[in-house]
Amino acid sequence: MYTIEMAYAHMRQLQELANRSRAHQPSAAQRLTEGGKTQGPRGAKKA
C-alpha cells in the first residue's frame, strides 16, 4: 500500500537531490556575465 507519507518522503528525497545537483552548477547570472566562456564549443545535435 502506497501512503501519502511515503509519497511525501519520496518527494523530499527528489527535492534534496535536485538541490544538490543545482549546487554544483554556476548560477544563471554568472553564466550570463561570462558569456558561456567556461564551456567548450557545442556541436550540432544529431537527429
Side-chain angles (χ1 to χ4, degrees):
M1 183 172 168
Y2 195 69
T3 64
I4 190 71
E5 290 84 5
M6 293 167 67
Y8 182 74
H10 185 64
M11 182 188 70
R12 293 284 299 182
Q13 289 175 342
L14 292 175
Q15 187 66 45
E16 289 173 9
L17 181 64
N19 288 340
R20 274 185 265 137
S21 174
R22 193 176 301 127
H24 294 293
Q25 299 175 0
S27 69
Q30 184 180 3
R31 284 195 305 259
L32 286 174
T33 56
E34 291 177 358
K37 294 177 195 169
T38 59
Q39 296 179 354
R42 293 180 183 260
K45 291 184 179 178
K46 295 182 180 177

